[in-house]
Amino acid sequence: KAGVTQTPRYLIKTRGQQVTLSCSPISGHRSVSWYQQTPGQGLQFLFEYFSETQRNKGNFPGRFSGRQFSNSRSEMNVSTLELGDSALYLCASRDFGGTGNSPLHFGNGTRLTVT
Amino acid sequence: GENVEQHPSTLSVQEGDSAVIKCTYSDSASNYFPWYKQELGKGPQLIIDIRSNVGEKKDQRIAVTLNKTAKHFSLHITETQPEDSAVYFCAASIRSGGSNYKLTFGKGTLLTVNP
């Protein structure tokens, strides 16, 4: 099976712009989660989608949003970018969502740099 | 609040020695505890996990122990090799409202195995 695929691998944006990141989960996985990884804060949970519905949400401002399509692919969007949004954004998929007791399988991330 | 503490933040060992990384969690309802290894330029990869109905699990050179009473769990790597050098993350399923759980990660341990 192919793993979790994230595109693009690298992005450079300027403050105030918006950005959309894409994630294709492992075939058959219906849950997709997004994490922000920074050296200071580690892995911070953004949100989780299951069957096109947001099941869990972390403590991020409303500028961070996401969605999931009927084929389980997911996108996350960050509007009005700030310098502090520079990070590695990781997508992870698993068989089912919400219960928290199944393995997450991560992609290699999208490295976002905001200048 | 929801919290996973991980220690140490850095660990340096000689090839062939053992390495131990420890984590504590706050939510007594947590029931799933995975460990991830992250190499440079890649996303975290699951290396072993344990559920709350087991006290110990082993997979070749890697073992995880869980003490639910004390709310801590540990990763043990024996006969370390240079390719074990990476950042290791522990995680715990933490309640995030209702019956939903999310994986909350520790801040990571940079393990260096010196040849």
Side-chain angles (χ1 to χ4, degrees), chain A residues 35 37 55-56 98 101 104, chain B residues 36 38 51 96 100-101 103:
Chain A
Y35 285 80
Q37 186 175 28
R55 292 289 293 268
N56 277 311
N101 61 358
L104 282 177
Chain B
Y36 287 83
Q38 188 174 24
R51 288 180 168 78
S96 64
N100 281 335
Y101 286 74
L103 279 180

Side-chain angles (χ1 to χ4, degrees), chain B residues 66-84:
Chain B
L66 171 65
N67 183 327
K68 284 217 73 180
T69 304
K71 289 191 279 188
H72 68 69
F73 55 114
S74 301
L75 177 72
H76 305 253
I77 306 174
T78 58
E79 300 171 28
T80 53
Q81 301 166 3
E83 51 265 38
D84 294 330

